[in-house]
Amino acid sequence: MAATEQTIKQINTLGDTDYKYGFSTELDEIRPPKGLNEDIIKFISTQKDEPEWMLDWRLNAFKVFNKLPKPEWAKLNIPEIDYQDCYYYSIPKSLKDKPKSLDEIDPEIIKTYEKLGIPLKEQKMLSGIAVDAVFDSVSVATTYKKQLSDLGIVFCSISEAVKTHPDLVKKYLGSVIPVSDHSFAALNSAVFTDGSFIYIPKGVRCPVELSTYFRINAMNTGQFERTLIIADKDSYVSYLEGCTAPMRDENQLHAANVELVALDNAEIKYSTVQNWYPGDKEGKGGIYNFVTKRGACRGKNSKISWTQVETGSAITWKYPSCILQGDNSKGEFYSVAITNNMQQADTGTKMIHIGKNTSSKIISKGISAGKANNTYRGLVNILSKAKNARNFTQCDSLLIGNKCGAHTVPYIESSNSDSMVEHEATTSKINEDQLFYCQQRGLNSEDAVGLIVNGFCKEVLQHLPMEFAVEAQKLVAISLEGSVG
Amino acid sequence: MLEIKNLHVSIEEKKIIKGLNLSINKGEVHALMGPNGSGKSTLSYVLSGKDKYEINDGTIEYNEKNLLELDVDDRANEGLFLAFQYPMEIPGVQTSFFLKTAINSKRKYLGQSEMDALEFAKLMKSKAEELNINTEMLKRDLNVNYSGGEKKKQEILQMSMLSPKMAILDETDSGLDIDALRIVSEGVNKLRSKEKSFLVITHYQRLLNYIKPDFVHIIADGRIVKSGDYSLALELEEKGYEEISKSA
Amino acid sequence: MELSLNLDKIQSDNVSKYAKTILDKQNPYKNFKIENYKYAQLHRDIKSEILQRDIDISELLKVSKNISTFSSNTVDLASNLNQWKYKNDDSFFRVSSLLKRDTSSINLDLIDYKNLFLDISQINNNIHFLKSSKNEINLIIMNTKSKDEYPKSIFFDISNNSNLNVIHFNISNFKSLLYFESNLQDNSHLNFVSFQSDNIHTRNEFYASLNLDCNFDLFGLNINNYGVNDNYSFIQHLKPSSSSREIFKSIVEKGAITNFQGKIYVDSIAQKTDGYQMSRSLLLDDISKANNKPELEIYADDVKCSHGSTVSKLDEDQIYYFKSRGIDSEMAKKILKKAFIAEIIESIKDDNLRDYSNKIIESLLT
Ligand SMILES: Nc1ncnc2c1ncn2[C@@H]1O[C@H](COP(=O)(O)OP(=O)(O)O)[C@@H](O)[C@H]1O
Ligand SMILES: [Mg+2]
């Protein structure tokens, strides 16, 4: 008991300055006035030099947005969002005329990424990872472009893809997440700024990890990321994204839409390490992270695997999902969500089984400390034609202290008698015996808790690409630092 | 009793048995030996009638009947018994209740009246004692939390109570310690008669020290590659599968 | 016949403001979005005429005392809604039944008999049971041939150190909407078994509030239903060291829909809570449906809570094993179905009542 108490005390003493990505960068910015209206949408579209169909699509989404109420299902306390009191577009002046090579990028931005540990200069780059960096509303740089294009792989910003690959964008954008899905999805569709576009051609195994790094820098600015990944027949790609933001007292909105499409025999592996600024100990500031991520396994034998480590944001609202349309397709969801102090998370997945012999696996680990609330919410739906579908779900929650909450809300719906659905969930505290054992071997309680929590999350963390796994382990410990780890 | 001709079997489009011939007469004990994955269990499942196996070619005659036309339970009631390599666990169903249901199903099939409770209890007790099975165990759920050895003994208990004409034992010896092996073998030997036939599937020659077969067959890759008498098992023990198969 | 509830019939003169908001906002007949009624389909139109059978209770009456014609006083239970820890989803059933009906109170300690039998379809009122002794009592609640349009509420007040066993038979009903509320004081026990079969449209709400060192066991069995069979539970642990165990088993076929929604709530001071929840469904054809929503809402760290849920058909390999021993598939399926539900029947401690339940269930298993 004593050890836990000590840990809890440490949580409480956790300073506000421990968010190590909390610096901001001084830059001149181009920003239209605050507010959300057709003019702003037209401004964004013009800035991006978009074709008319794209603008029409955005304006239609805006109409839909105006009609939709905000989604209510989450167990979250979301303050009323004043959409008019927010900037929807921000771009550092130096990026206005898109730099043609890395050498032309404002050194301040390069420095920012270096501070974050994301080197943009190719010669310095981690081997085997191609990076697309998004700074506020624009894509800064995409590395490894040449090597990828030799294989026919398209890896660029979505803004660029609208111009260079309009057919693919037209065909797939909004095909997994309909504009009218819910109001955040509609909002994103109206004002999305940047994000990644990936196309892997037939039969190609992407040889490197593709990665995007998102950074919100400007004050009062929403970030509306839009990512579209298409894996054509028999292809494979592994994609990872990381996110940080400076510390600011006011809340910032991040409403992303990510769509994945896997055709016959294709596989997409999507990993996220989300570490947006969580706000301070009293719950002031922090990012509202309202993310819609959805993948469609359209082709037979296709596979989509989501892995997420969610440690940041004041509010996380996120359900990376799989629509298993193709026969024999597979969906996976591996998640670690850590909430501390005043953070709130409502996250989980949806697995919709439509095709025959489809299978899904859900492993979710929620850790709640401080005064935080952490909810797993998930849907497994087996439609009546999904013969032989299989699902296995395991969700475990860990509580540290008795001012926080851990909740599990699974929806399990089955209409096919040849299918099998299994769900298990547990809630417990840190194992005192393990803690004692570690301390007896000389670990201080902080390290011991970090170790045990990492063990608790291991099943998920091992699904991250190598380079990320180490980083994520540290992050798990840090987010609970003084708090847990 | 059993006549298998040119049997070809596949599962999920994978060919497993590829032209197997085997003939077993009344009163004979045949041993079938072969490396892992050679198709021994597959053969036993096909004989008992498990679905999902596709019979691509060949015939199986059993007691002058076309075995392949019979449903699983009819085969069993016609006296064909399979002692499983991996016996099924069935939670919620008491072992003794299961035994009783099985015995009465057979009697019904043969047009006999149900066995009364007392007679059944007596039979079960005596057979269980022969196999050194604690009757308390028979009150537990079928095979649930039984050890590997207990499960195998349980299969043999079922066999001795159902008194089949043709029994197939799929690796009944694996998982048994030496004492259990002796007891199980005695159980089998007691059933041996001019009327009953056995197909004993095993990896090891060890079991055949206790249950002396009249014939030994070696199976490799879905085919019988060599047949002989008991001495073939000894030869196999000495040389191993690879060499025997080569010389075949 | 449309199964909807006509609210106008409820007398509105005595409606408190609080009750009014519930009736307006939380009325599942008007507002489909209420989470607790997500799967309930209260508006379902049932067209088929279904054969309903008579349940022989003569044997049951031999081993129990019929208290259906008891004398009782009327109580007012409208006020203690605030003790519940749910937010925004107050029980519509509770409120509407309290508005519609009087509530009769029965003190079980005054009846000197071990097995008590009550047919609630014979009684128009809500019923409130009091139990404060350690006497062993098995209360059998039967709902026969109910066509009642309105929810009915049944309350259990179990005082410090006392205990009660309840067996609820809800068999062959056209429609039955019941709200069960159990208040367990310190160190008390409640064992509740609910059998539901042959029904066309049922919804049962089980609310339980647990104090120090209590123990609440809830077992549910749904078989052979035709329309919608809906069970909702909310179990709140308010004080330390209580345990709750919930096991629901359903066999779903012939176009039936079975729903289980249950929540375990653990207050921040309710350390050492042990909560367990399991719902299992056998789904036997593709025109039927099984929905499960087992929820945990936990605010204390030193607890052990878990839930599980499975939906599947009968195990083919087990059926094959039976057949390999000469048992035909029809018999094998029946035995496996019985095995699946055995745990529920076994939870009845009284031998006579367990035997009776066994017989009834046996006759209902098809
Ligand atoms: N359900 C199945 N689906 C696909 N292959 C199978 C299946 N069952 C068995 N096999 C394959 O069939 C071969 C023979 O298996 P089995 O008959 O169990 O061998 P043995 O009993 O001789 O060890 C093996 O290669 C095994 O992997
Ligand atoms: Mg085998």
Side-chain angles (χ1 to χ4, degrees):
Chain A
M1 197 37 118
T4 311
E5 263 160 28
Q6 198 181 337
T7 314
I8 294 167
K9 272 200 206 108
Q10 279 165 346
I11 306 175
N12 297 335
T13 57
L14 173 62
D16 295 343
T17 48
D18 292 2
Y19 183 72
K20 82 172 195 199
Y21 310 103
F23 58 88
S24 69
T25 310
E26 297 289 335
L27 290 165
D28 275 348
E29 290 150 1
I30 299 175
R31 278 205 298 210
K34 277 185 183 176
L36 179 59
N37 51 52
E38 290 200 356
D39 289 341
I40 292 290
I41 294 167
K42 283 177 191 157
F43 176 86
I44 294 171
S45 194
T46 314
Q47 283 291 313
K48 294 189 165 293
D49 209 6
E50 284 178 354
E52 202 169 318
W53 60 266
M54 196 66 251
L55 175 62
D56 291 345
W57 197 80
R58 287 175 180 274
L59 290 173
N60 172 55
F62 182 59
K63 282 202 193 94
V64 174
F65 168 74
N66 283 328
K67 279 185 232 146
L68 290 173
K70 82 168 197 253
E72 295 278 6
W73 60 77
K75 188 178 167 59
L76 295 172
N77 223 330
I78 307 177
E80 204 52 52
I81 298 165
D82 184 354
Y83 290 108
Q84 301 307 334
D85 189 33
C86 178
Y87 294 107
Y88 288 84
Y89 191 75
S90 164
I91 156 170
K93 274 212 180 96
S94 56
L95 288 177
K96 174 63 183 90
D97 297 310
K98 204 162 175 20
K100 284 173 195 65
S101 80
L102 283 164
D103 298 334
E104 292 178 27
I105 295 176
D106 191 330
E108 281 297 311
I109 292 175
I110 303 254
K111 248 193 243 160
T112 304
Y113 278 96
E114 269 164 14
K115 270 199 235 174
L116 292 167
I118 316 290
L120 292 179
K121 301 266 187 195
E122 298 204 11
Q123 66 271 27
K124 282 193 205 159
M125 247 172 28
L126 294 161
S127 58
I129 302 182
V131 181
D132 182 23
V134 176
F135 198 82
D136 288 338
S137 304
V138 282
S139 174
V140 177
T142 307
T143 57
Y144 265 129
K145 245 179 163 160
K146 166 91 173 62
Q147 290 90 325
L148 295 173
S149 68
D150 287 349
L151 287 166
I153 294 172
V154 184
F155 179 39
C156 62
S157 72
I158 190 99
S159 317
E160 203 178 322
V162 168
K163 284 175 262 177
T164 56
H165 297 84
D167 294 345
L168 285 171
V169 175
K170 267 190 211 170
K171 183 167 175 193
Y172 291 108
L173 192 72
S175 77
V176 188
I177 306 171
V179 167
S180 59
D181 209 70
H182 53 77
S183 67
F184 299 140
L187 176 65
N188 174 287
S189 303
V191 301
F192 73 85
T193 41
D194 229 327
S196 299
F197 174 86
I198 296 170
Y199 173 77
I200 313 287
K202 273 180 203 149
V204 172
R205 249 191 101 82
C206 183
V208 292
E209 307 272 356
L210 300 184
S211 169
T212 301
Y213 213 88
F214 292 96
R215 168 87 182 158
I216 300 179
N217 193 58
M219 230 194 282
N220 269 327
T221 306
Q223 195 188 49
F224 302 94
E225 164 210 352
R226 184 101 201 181
T227 289
L228 177 59
I229 302 178
I230 302 148
D232 212 324
K233 289 179 185 166
D234 304 304
S235 69
Y236 168 84
V237 63
S238 170
Y239 175 84
L240 30 104
E241 62 172 357
C243 333
T244 56
M247 281 163 46
R248 301 205 186 273
D249 283 350
E250 72 280 359
N251 298 105
Q252 284 173 291
L253 184 62
H254 171 83
N257 279 12
V258 173
E259 295 175 284
L260 314 183
V261 178
L263 302 180
D264 288 359
N265 307 311
E267 179 176 348
I268 302 175
K269 194 169 153 48
Y270 193 110
S271 312
T272 305
V273 174
Q274 183 265 108
N275 188 27
W276 296 120
Y277 178 55
D280 72 6
K281 238 177 88 183
E282 269 68 52
K284 200 161 174 212
I287 302 288
Y288 293 165
N289 189 34
F290 301 144
V291 177
T292 306
K293 289 189 164 153
R294 199 174 297 164
C297 285
R298 297 247 161 99
K300 62 177 195 308
N301 305 315
S302 54
K303 179 174 173 187
I304 289 178
S305 178
W306 299 100
T307 305
Q308 62 173 25
V309 176
E310 302 282 319
T311 59
S313 296
I315 301 176
T316 297
W317 179 104
K318 183 183 176 193
Y319 317 93
S321 302
C322 298
I323 301 167
L324 303 169
Q325 285 164 284
D327 289 351
N328 310 320
S329 60
K330 269 197 177 68
E332 292 175 345
F333 175 73
Y334 301 102
S335 168
V336 168
I338 300 180
T339 51
N340 193 3
N341 296 322
M342 300 294 282
Q343 280 178 279
Q344 307 176 60
D346 193 297
T347 183
T349 183
K350 290 197 259 186
M351 294 289 175
I352 316 286
H353 292 254
I354 301 170
K356 293 192 186 85
N357 304 316
T358 46
S359 64
S360 61
K361 185 171 176 188
I362 301 170
I363 307 283
S364 159
K365 307 279 176 179
I367 297 132
S368 205
K371 292 180 182 155
N373 272 293
N374 196 327
T375 302
Y376 166 82
R377 183 181 306 276
L379 167 69
V380 174
N381 191 355
I382 314 273
L383 301 185
S384 68
K385 291 208 174 110
K387 210 169 154 54
N388 260 322
R390 291 279 176 279
N391 162 264
F392 175 76
T393 302
Q394 168 87 48
C395 35
D396 298 317
S397 308
L398 203 61
L399 288 123
I400 300 169
N402 63 349
K403 293 200 172 62
C404 52
H407 320 298
T408 315
V409 191
Y411 297 74
I412 303 151
E413 306 175 6
S414 177
S415 313
N416 181 285
S417 63
D418 288 318
S419 296
M420 178 132 105
V421 187
E422 285 177 279
H423 171 100
E424 287 171 20
T426 62
T427 302
S428 55
K429 65 168 176 172
I430 287 226
N431 186 318
E432 295 286 347
D433 294 340
Q434 289 176 353
L435 205 57
F436 176 72
Y437 183 88
C438 292
Q439 287 178 301
Q440 207 285 321
R441 293 299 125 98
L443 273 75
N444 65 33
S445 69
E446 207 172 79
D447 291 346
V449 172
L451 197 78
I452 293 166
V453 172
N454 261 307
F456 176 76
C457 301
K458 192 172 169 198
E459 250 179 300
V460 171
L461 298 180
Q462 72 191 16
H463 288 278
L464 287 171
M466 268 285 278
E467 300 81 354
F468 255 33
V470 182
E471 195 65 12
Q473 272 177 26
K474 277 190 224 148
L475 197 58
V476 165
I478 289 169
S479 358
L480 292 164
E481 195 159 88
S483 75
V484 163
Chain B
M1 173 73 50
L2 186 72
E3 182 84 44
I4 305 171
K5 280 188 188 149
N6 189 32
L7 184 68
H8 288 259
V9 179
S10 60
I11 182 158
E12 284 162 12
E13 280 150 40
K14 184 177 163 194
K15 291 196 173 95
I16 296 182
I17 293 180
K18 304 162 183 173
L20 184 140
N21 295 292
L22 181 65
S23 171
I24 299 176
N25 294 315
K26 257 190 198 174
E28 289 175 359
V29 175
H30 290 238
L32 182 65
M33 305 180 74
N36 273 330
S38 55
K40 303 183 298 293
S41 293
T42 303
L43 177 65
S44 70
Y45 289 140
V46 168
L47 289 173
S48 85
K50 192 173 184 178
D51 63 5
K52 300 212 172 84
Y53 291 92
E54 204 175 326
I55 317 291
N56 302 318
D57 202 359
T59 58
I60 306 176
E61 206 176 279
Y62 170 73
N63 269 342
E64 277 123 52
K65 287 193 178 76
N66 178 357
L67 188 72
L68 296 174
E69 274 177 1
L70 297 178
D71 205 353
V72 183
D73 46 328
D74 292 339
R75 294 183 197 194
N77 289 324
E78 288 285 344
L80 188 128
F81 183 93
L82 168 59
F84 288 91
Q85 182 176 3
Y86 305 108
M88 198 75 211
E89 292 183 13
I90 306 190
V93 176
Q94 230 184 31
T95 305
S96 59
F97 173 77
F98 179 80
L99 284 168
K100 194 170 160 191
T101 313
I103 282 194
N104 283 330
S105 291
K106 183 170 184 181
R107 292 174 73 110
K108 195 171 148 201
Y109 184 86
L110 300 174
Q112 298 165 351
S113 64
E114 283 202 358
M115 189 180 270
D116 75 55
L118 200 67
E119 195 186 340
F120 171 77
K122 260 197 195 144
L123 178 70
M124 186 171 76
K125 189 158 178 279
S126 72
K127 295 289 182 191
E129 271 165 11
E130 274 174 21
L131 290 164
N132 209 2
I133 293 174
N134 186 342
T135 45
E136 277 304 304
M137 202 172 90
L138 304 174
K139 290 182 187 155
R140 299 200 338 229
D141 288 356
L142 186 58
N143 289 331
V144 179
N145 298 326
Y146 284 24
S147 71
E150 284 170 340
K151 284 181 185 170
K152 295 297 175 70
K153 275 184 168 183
Q154 161 61 224
E155 292 288 292
I156 298 305
L157 174 66
Q158 289 183 26
M159 180 177 81
S160 69
M161 289 186 72
L162 290 167
S163 185
K165 292 185 192 130
M166 169 85 232
I168 305 153
L169 277 63
D170 190 359
E171 295 201 26
T172 301
D173 52 334
S174 58
L176 292 182
D177 59 37
I178 196 81
D179 289 336
L181 185 65
R182 189 175 40 77
I183 292 163
V184 163
S185 309
E186 274 168 21
V188 172
N189 287 332
K190 261 195 197 121
L191 279 181
R192 280 177 85 156
S193 77
K194 274 200 235 93
E195 298 302 311
K196 294 187 193 304
S197 315
F198 289 85
L199 178 62
V200 181
I201 296 173
T202 182
H203 249 333
Y204 305 106
Q205 179 264 341
R206 189 177 76 150
L207 176 70
L208 305 181
N209 289 337
Y210 296 93
I211 305 173
K212 282 264 153 54
D214 303 311
F215 301 94
V216 174
H217 310 276
I218 292 169
I219 180 173
D221 194 24
R223 231 177 265 125
I224 287 179
V225 291
K226 198 164 191 182
S227 297
D229 58 14
Y230 177 60
S231 64
L232 181 59
L234 296 173
E235 191 189 335
L236 181 70
E237 184 78 358
E238 208 175 292
K239 294 181 179 164
Y241 286 117
E242 208 153 302
E243 206 178 322
I244 292 260
S245 307
K246 248 187 265 159
S247 67
Chain C
M1 196 167 324
E2 169 133 34
L3 295 170
S4 66
L5 194 141
N6 184 353
L7 269 180
D8 303 336
K9 283 199 223 153
I10 295 177
Q11 301 101 346
S12 55
D13 30 325
N14 205 12
V15 179
S16 72
K17 212 174 144 198
Y18 189 47
K20 205 161 191 159
T21 34
I22 292 172
L23 290 180
D24 286 349
K25 284 216 186 110
Q26 310 299 339
N27 181 352
Y29 295 92
K30 285 185 177 163
N31 182 355
F32 288 96
K33 291 235 169 104
I34 297 173
E35 199 52 36
N36 294 354
Y37 293 84
K38 180 170 162 54
Y39 298 117
Q41 305 206 22
L42 295 157
H43 300 254
R44 201 172 143 101
D45 209 352
I46 288 159
K47 289 179 186 82
S48 54
E49 273 303 313
I50 283 144
L51 183 83
Q52 288 189 265
R53 50 185 131 194
D54 281 317
I55 297 298
D56 181 13
I57 55 167
S58 59
E59 215 173 306
L60 193 53
L61 288 172
K62 271 186 226 155
V63 296
S64 60
K65 181 181 175 68
N66 192 343
I67 57 165
S68 304
T69 55
F70 58 96
S71 65
S72 60
N73 43 326
T74 315
V75 290
D76 180 11
L77 293 173
S79 56
N80 65 345
L81 255 181
N82 314 343
Q83 67 144 328
W84 293 99
K85 294 291 183 182
Y86 44 69
K87 288 182 200 90
N88 307 323
D89 50 5
D90 309 274
S91 170
F92 171 80
F93 274 26
R94 183 191 205 277
V95 174
S96 60
S97 78
L98 285 174
L99 287 171
K100 162 79 179 157
R101 307 169 194 277
D102 284 336
T103 304
S104 305
S105 184
I106 306 174
N107 185 344
L108 291 170
D109 294 319
L110 300 180
I111 308 171
D112 189 15
Y113 216 91
K114 192 179 163 207
N115 297 336
L116 306 176
F117 174 86
L118 178 80
D119 184 353
I120 50 170
S121 57
Q122 309 279 322
I123 299 160
N124 191 38
N125 284 359
N126 296 319
I127 305 159
H128 171 243
F129 291 104
L130 269 171
K131 175 80 163 53
S132 37
S133 73
K134 277 198 157 133
N135 296 345
E136 169 104 6
I137 288 187
N138 300 303
L139 176 65
I140 301 139
I141 294 178
M142 182 90 71
N143 193 28
T144 62
K145 293 275 161 2
S146 171
K147 286 204 175 200
D148 221 330
E149 291 257 320
Y150 295 95
K152 186 179 281 179
S153 290
I154 299 175
F155 299 86
F156 299 97
D157 258 323
I158 309 195
S159 304
N160 289 351
N161 304 316
S162 67
N163 56 297
L164 181 65
N165 302 319
V166 179
I167 304 169
H168 170 222
F169 290 101
N170 196 9
I171 295 172
S172 220
N173 281 305
F174 180 75
K175 182 177 184 187
S176 147
L177 305 173
L178 294 172
Y179 171 85
F180 293 99
E181 177 176 314
S182 310
N183 286 294
L184 281 79
Q185 297 305 324
D186 295 354
N187 214 359
S188 64
H189 303 268
L190 175 62
N191 191 79
F192 200 117
V193 185
S194 177
F195 293 111
Q196 297 158 38
S197 175
D198 265 20
N199 299 309
I200 296 166
H201 185 196
T202 53
R203 178 176 169 94
N204 297 291
E205 299 187 354
F206 301 95
Y207 282 72
S209 183
L210 277 63
N211 286 292
L212 198 69
D213 270 321
C214 299
N215 186 335
F216 178 55
D217 288 338
L218 175 60
F219 300 93
L221 176 61
N222 314 305
I223 51 173
N224 217 27
N225 291 304
Y226 297 94
V228 183
N229 184 268
D230 187 19
N231 286 292
Y232 177 84
S233 79
F234 180 86
I235 296 173
Q236 59 181 26
H237 290 260
L238 300 180
K239 298 273 170 64
S241 311
S242 301
S243 70
S244 64
R245 196 153 59 110
E246 224 179 325
I247 301 175
F248 272 84
K249 299 234 174 152
S250 307
I251 300 177
V252 201
E253 53 193 323
K254 294 177 285 195
I257 299 177
T258 199
N259 304 317
F260 172 78
Q261 267 186 273
K263 185 187 268 189
I264 298 176
Y265 172 97
V266 179
D267 199 87
S268 63
I269 62 163
Q271 297 290 6
K272 308 273 179 212
T273 290
D274 186 349
Y276 175 76
Q277 198 185 38
M278 174 58 81
S279 62
R280 283 184 189 282
S281 305
L282 282 182
L283 184 63
L284 299 185
D285 59 43
D286 295 347
I287 53 170
S288 306
K289 209 171 163 70
N291 298 314
N292 286 291
K293 187 178 168 232
E295 272 183 78
L296 300 172
E297 182 172 349
I298 296 175
Y299 297 96
D301 60 339
D302 191 8
V303 300
K304 219 173 75 192
C305 284
S306 62
H307 68 218
S309 171
T310 62
V311 184
S312 63
K313 61 176 172 177
L314 289 168
D315 187 331
E316 298 279 2
D317 288 338
Q318 291 185 346
I319 294 173
Y320 163 65
Y321 189 83
F322 273 87
K323 289 173 80 174
S324 79
R325 298 297 177 254
I327 301 165
D328 66 35
S329 63
E330 208 168 303
M331 174 75 107
K333 284 178 187 169
K334 189 168 172 174
I335 293 173
L336 286 173
K337 283 184 193 175
K338 268 208 79 174
F340 174 73
I341 62 182
E343 186 182 9
I344 307 294
I345 298 176
E346 292 306 315
S347 69
I348 298 176
K349 290 179 195 103
D350 183 272
D351 291 345
N352 287 326
L353 298 178
R354 192 176 52 247
D355 288 350
Y356 177 78
S357 309
N358 224 337
K359 247 184 249 169
I360 293 273
I361 299 306
E362 180 97 8
S363 74
L364 293 170
L365 270 185
T366 44

